[in-house]
Amino acid sequence: MKRLMLASIIYAVLALVGGVFYREFTKLNGFTILSVVHTHYLILGMVFFLLLVLVEKNYSFINDKVRKYLLLYHIGLNLTVVMLVVRGVVQVLSLDVSSVVILELHI
């Protein structure tokens, strides 16, 4: 249960950092995108693990198999957020990635 609480706290901090980053980065560049980073970490990170704490307290369902799925969940959530940040930064900075991808495919 302590690990679930720690995960919840870590995702809450990451949500706050993501919120500050998107706010300041997009404000400097005149955009209003990247807000999804904050909400993904807040809901899918912090709230999900707080709910797991409540369920674990009542039902004690976490075993080695569930831990493997939780590890996969951590990896998936963080990969999703990293790709949201990359996509948002590319869009805000108006980088042309399609020509780079096409060049790589032809080589």
Side-chain angles (χ1 to χ4, degrees):
M1 219 157 53
K2 288 181 183 182
R3 284 186 176 177
L4 296 175
M5 287 295 290
L6 180 62
S8 179
I9 291 169
I10 289 171
Y11 282 120
V13 170
L14 288 173
L16 294 173
V17 169
V20 169
F21 170 74
Y22 97 79
R23 172 97 168 107
E24 296 305 316
F25 183 72
T26 54
K27 187 170 42 169
L28 288 173
N29 292 293
F31 276 81
T32 58
I33 199 166
L34 285 175
S35 61
V36 293
V37 171
H38 173 69
T39 53
H40 272 74
Y41 266 147
L42 195 62
I43 302 301
L44 295 176
M46 185 190 80
V47 172
F48 176 74
F49 283 100
L50 283 177
L51 290 173
L52 276 183
V53 167
L54 293 175
V55 173
E56 171 66 15
K57 184 177 179 183
N58 291 324
Y59 299 108
S60 294
F61 71 97
I62 294 189
N63 56 23
D64 287 338
K65 187 174 181 179
V66 174
R67 281 192 183 93
K68 289 178 185 176
Y69 285 115
L70 286 176
L71 177 63
L72 185 64
Y73 183 84
H74 283 293
I75 292 169
L77 176 60
N78 288 304
L79 182 63
T80 300
V81 169
V82 166
M83 293 313 296
L84 286 171
V85 170
V86 168
R87 182 189 180 279
V89 168
V90 165
Q91 188 174 357
V92 167
L93 297 178
S94 299
L95 299 176
D96 186 25
V97 230
S98 60
S99 61
V100 174
V101 172
I102 292 171
L103 288 175
E104 290 295 323
L105 292 175
H106 289 288
I107 294 178

